[in-house]
Amino acid sequence: MAARHIPREGETRIPSGCAIAGIMDRSGARHDGTDILKSIALMHDRSNGLGGGFAAYGIYPDYADLYAFHIMYESREARAATEAYLEHYYLCEKQERVPTEDHPAIKNPPDIWRYFMAPHPMRLAASGLDEAEYTMRHVFHINGAVDGAFVASSGKNMGVFKGVGYPEDIGEFYRIADYDAWAWTAHGRFPTNTPGWWGGAHPFTLLNWSIVHNGEISSYDANRRYVEQFGYDCELQTDTEVITYLFDLLARRHGLSQEMAAHIMAAPSWRAIDAMAPENAAFETALRTVYASALVNGPFSIILGSEEGLLALNDRLKLRALMAAEKGPVVYLASEQAAIQVVCPDAENVRSIEGGVPFVVQLDAVARRKQEEAAENRAVRDWPLEHEVGVQPRRRREA
Amino acid sequence: MIETIEIEVTAVAVTGAEPPAAEPPTATRAEVALGLSHFKEANERVRAALARADEVAVTDAHAQRYLGCALPAGKRLAIGGTPGNDLGCYLDGGAIEVFGDGQDQVGNTMNAGSITIHGRCGDAAGYALRGGTILVRDECGWRAGIHMKEYERKRPALVIGGDAGAFLGEYMAGGVIVLGGEPGPYVGSGMHGGVIYLRRPLAADAVTSGLVQAPATEEDVPGLAELIGAYNEAFAGEGPPLPAPDGGWWCLRPASARPYGSLYAH
């Protein structure tokens, strides 16, 4: 296969909206991709065919303990180089092409593979990192240093299916109706500033995190400079990826709850802090001071997926719409209310997500576990093997 | 895909020559089921039905945008399901009634007529409203009544029975907002015309600078009574009615006609 030139982010500017949706069963029961496909398809006109994608949690129960990498290749060489690299650092249990179906609307797709792998025990131990940190670094290496290879997802028991096209076509191309997941998110893209390419479609992922985003991050460069200090290379030049990395930094590395991480990104205004009781004001001031560069500005609505569940967040001024509703254990989220009702006509508790207020949907099992946990974070010294201690210098770019 | 059907309930009975233009069209009813059809096709079918009938029942709406766009006086749309964004945009005298919820930008730049929603609606309801009346039975999203305006006798009104999101009446330049529930923060941010009626006074520090809060006076009663009456009539039996106009309403008005006149001046 000859290498093709596929336009990358930043080469062109295309002026723009987007559609996002999420469906989650809090009981952990799994549902196929039919509903999420129908929900995102209803919002067809919020996308323009330049990107669509889905994140699915709980789809690989047989390999639940292994990292499931979905990787897109633009050339045979890219695959050879990536597989040689992975073979060095991981033990691969299974590798295969992601099943796809020819679709008239999906043009020029990359070669898409998935790998179920465990970190190579000796190399993991030698790295001095925990397995999440170890995996994150290899993801960044592949994305940054292997030309024509892009890791679409790298979590456990989850996967991302995305590409250039309308989301309903992408979903059919990947046959997402064949997968069963307890949480689904979806995105229909209307790129604002950049062309669509397969890697640049949403969801953006790292480890178990996935983000679908409607909006534009005007603080992108400030946030990017901040996360790059901690080894997150923003290779995709797309504002959304930085939100994924902020959640990874604040929640996985700093041990904050996802809700607190979201609160930091959409912190209360100084005027609101001034009006608070002194102890609250002191707390909020400390947060805003320590995490000044993690404040996300601009119009956005996002749905974060993780092993805990979903989290929805609107910017503080609510410049984007996002609706929520529920029916029994199932929670629905969508940019437009009708996109919920089309799959659940008798959905209850229909309401909008407020600006700057994280909307958290946890698996029942996770919620129970959290309730039993102490309110305080565990000190890092008590879990050194699970956590990378200290700030590493930015690693040198190889090749 | 849901099969879409179109039934004309009453056929127009026209025999012989066409009736003279001055004569009002024969009152008829038509029904259009939208299902999952695209908004372009949906609007074409609704417009075709409206050309034949004065009253069109739209059923099974699923987020089709721009329904009832620029609907003229004498025409009526009754909508079942969830109509899409920009419902009744540029409405020009027609009447729209939704038996369900509205999405975002209900009545965007509406000029005249009425929109009645038996449910809630999304963000920016009555965006740049310049005439006519919007009645929303339940709550509404953020920025309801943003950029409402008035000119001489054209004085638009937005009545919301439930709570409102933040920035109610943002940049409001004219017209009337009546809120039955609680407002979110930043009511009337940038407001420089018109009036917002509230059930309860805002805390003093919640009143945006440049606005004056005061109890509604006798001068307010006639206008307020008309809107409250319209709301209570439209939603009779569907929930608690709004209290009488002399029942302790409060109003928010800009302190001066040009509160920002000196903002960018030297």
Side-chain angles (χ1 to χ4, degrees):
Chain A
M1 200 189 315
R4 289 159 286 170
H5 177 75
I6 294 177
R8 284 295 205 276
E9 304 286 351
E11 288 181 17
T12 329
R13 184 184 159 92
I14 300 172
S16 134
C18 286
I20 58 176
I23 299 177
M24 173 174 155
D25 192 319
R26 282 176 296 200
S27 73
R30 301 190 301 146
H31 305 278
D32 69 31
T34 316
D35 277 359
I36 192 75
L37 200 59
K38 210 168 154 187
S39 180
I40 197 76
L42 188 79
M43 300 185 282
H44 177 88
D45 291 302
R46 299 179 73 99
S47 338
N48 67 354
L50 290 179
F54 301 83
Y57 289 83
I59 52 174
Y60 299 132
D62 294 343
Y63 302 97
D65 296 331
L66 300 176
Y67 285 100
F69 276 45
H70 285 195
I71 307 185
M72 298 172 171
Y73 299 116
E74 283 169 7
S75 69
R76 213 186 282 274
E77 294 72 27
R79 178 154 81 89
T82 306
E83 288 181 352
Y85 182 82
L86 288 175
E87 203 172 307
H88 190 67
Y89 290 103
Y90 285 86
L91 300 176
C92 189
E93 177 87 14
K94 181 177 179 173
Q95 67 183 70
E96 62 184 359
R97 271 206 170 84
V98 173
T100 54
E101 203 163 275
D102 283 347
H103 194 289
I106 303 300
K107 304 276 195 297
N108 208 10
D111 194 13
I112 307 156
W113 284 71
R114 64 185 166 206
Y115 305 83
F116 298 97
M117 310 179 297
H120 191 294
M122 196 185 74
R123 293 191 202 285
L124 174 64
S127 72
L129 306 171
D130 70 0
E131 61 167 39
E133 190 68 24
Y134 179 87
T135 299
M136 171 190 136
R137 294 192 178 196
H138 294 308
V139 169
F140 281 123
H141 176 86
I142 295 168
N143 287 346
V146 182
D147 194 28
F150 174 77
V151 182
S153 63
S154 53
K156 290 181 176 178
N157 202 5
M158 60 83 72
V160 157
F161 306 93
K162 65 180 188 177
V164 175
Y166 281 103
E168 57 272 28
D169 298 334
I170 288 288
E172 285 170 10
F173 169 76
Y174 280 108
R175 299 166 51 174
I176 65 158
D178 294 349
Y179 296 88
D180 292 321
W182 52 261
W184 286 97
T185 63
H187 186 261
R189 189 159 188 234
F190 200 133
T192 39
N193 304 318
T194 52
W197 67 290
W198 281 68
H202 302 213
F204 278 95
T205 66
L206 180 64
L207 302 171
N208 287 339
W209 307 108
S210 69
I211 289 273
V212 289
H213 165 218
N214 166 21
E216 195 167 318
I217 311 296
S218 43
S219 59
Y220 169 69
D221 272 321
N223 303 139
R224 178 183 58 78
R225 280 193 293 271
Y226 179 59
V227 298
E228 277 183 351
Q229 298 174 60
F230 305 103
Y232 298 92
D233 297 338
C234 295
E235 293 284 355
L236 313 172
Q237 294 178 41
T238 299
D239 51 5
T240 308
E241 68 172 330
V242 83
I243 308 178
T244 313
Y245 305 153
L246 281 170
F247 272 107
D248 189 62
L249 177 68
L250 299 178
R252 180 176 66 84
R253 281 185 169 181
H254 292 191
L256 299 167
S257 70
Q258 293 178 14
E259 193 172 359
M260 186 57 76
H263 179 72
I264 287 167
M265 291 183 215
S269 66
W270 289 115
R271 187 187 293 185
I273 291 174
D274 286 344
M276 289 176 183
E279 62 273 24
N280 291 346
F283 174 67
E284 296 292 348
T285 302
L287 275 185
R288 280 205 64 165
T289 310
V290 172
Y291 291 115
S293 299
L295 182 74
V296 180
N297 239 324
F300 66 86
S301 66
I302 57 169
I303 303 173
L304 168 78
S306 72
E307 70 281 5
E308 292 184 3
L310 302 181
L311 181 149
L313 183 68
N314 273 335
D315 67 271
R316 297 175 294 178
L317 299 179
K318 199 179 186 297
L319 293 163
R320 289 291 181 273
L322 187 57
M323 299 295 295
E326 57 199 299
K327 177 77 185 169
V330 184
V331 176
Y332 298 88
L333 295 160
S335 300
E336 296 188 24
Q337 183 178 334
I340 294 174
Q341 286 161 329
V342 74
V343 290
C344 185
D346 52 351
E348 292 156 4
N349 235 336
V350 178
R351 59 204 182 279
S352 58
I353 307 289
E354 292 297 294
V357 183
F359 180 84
V360 180
V361 189
Q362 286 175 336
L363 280 170
D364 291 337
V366 171
R368 272 197 302 275
R369 193 185 74 220
K370 298 243 169 206
Q371 236 165 16
E372 288 159 10
E373 275 174 12
E376 282 159 18
N377 293 337
R378 275 192 302 157
V380 169
R381 63 176 175 275
D382 296 336
W383 46 305
L385 293 177
E386 295 170 45
H387 189 77
E388 182 203 22
V389 182
V391 175
Q392 301 287 321
R394 193 184 152 89
R395 90 187 140 70
R396 278 205 357 245
R397 189 74 53 90
E398 290 159 42
Chain B
M1 192 93 170
I2 293 173
E3 193 68 25
T4 55
I5 46 159
E6 210 164 310
I7 315 156
E8 216 161 297
V9 176
T10 316
V12 193
V14 183
T15 49
E18 285 197 5
E23 200 174 300
T26 319
T28 58
R29 254 188 107 245
E31 191 174 311
V32 181
L34 296 186
L36 296 180
S37 60
H38 187 264
F39 74 81
K40 190 162 177 278
E41 181 204 337
N43 278 288
E44 278 165 9
R45 291 172 53 220
V46 170
R47 271 197 295 271
L50 282 163
R52 298 190 305 267
D54 285 343
E55 192 175 329
V56 171
V58 172
T59 59
D60 201 25
H62 280 101
Q64 285 89 359
R65 301 171 179 183
Y66 317 123
L67 289 174
C69 173
L71 192 70
K75 298 284 184 181
R76 185 172 182 279
L77 269 188
I79 300 175
T82 306
N85 297 353
D86 290 308
L87 168 74
C89 52
Y90 312 111
L91 190 72
D92 202 17
I96 297 177
E97 195 161 5
V98 179
F99 300 91
D101 298 335
Q103 291 195 157
D104 300 330
Q105 292 114 248
V106 168
N108 186 353
T109 324
M110 156 176 166
N111 184 49
S114 71
I115 299 179
T116 306
I117 297 183
H118 297 260
R120 71 179 301 283
C121 69
D123 293 341
Y127 183 170
L129 193 60
R130 41 179 278 164
T133 305
I134 298 178
L135 306 174
V136 181
R137 191 190 67 194
D138 304 333
E139 76 271 14
C140 67
W142 286 38
R143 297 189 169 79
I146 180 173
H147 270 301
M148 271 172 72
K149 57 201 76 175
E150 65 181 63
Y151 182 68
E152 293 182 345
R153 291 177 59 195
K154 281 193 88 68
R155 194 157 189 246
L158 171 62
V159 185
I160 294 144
D163 298 343
F167 296 104
L168 176 69
E170 190 180 26
Y171 306 125
M172 190 172 166
V176 185
I177 294 178
V178 179
L179 182 69
E182 296 296 324
Y186 310 114
V187 182
S189 174
M191 177 178 177
H192 52 105
V195 57
I196 299 176
Y197 291 105
L198 302 169
R199 291 292 304 121
R200 272 175 287 281
L202 298 172
D205 58 357
V207 178
T208 306
S209 69
L211 301 187
V212 176
Q213 175 173 260
T217 64
E218 274 178 29
E219 286 170 22
D220 293 300
V221 167
L224 194 50
E226 197 182 318
L227 293 172
I228 289 171
Y231 177 95
N232 290 345
E233 191 189 327
F235 307 119
E238 294 179 32
L242 290 177
D246 52 0
W249 287 81
W250 286 71
C251 55
L252 270 178
R253 286 189 166 89
S256 85
R258 295 192 66 224
Y260 304 100
S262 60
L263 190 62
Y264 301 109
H266 298 294

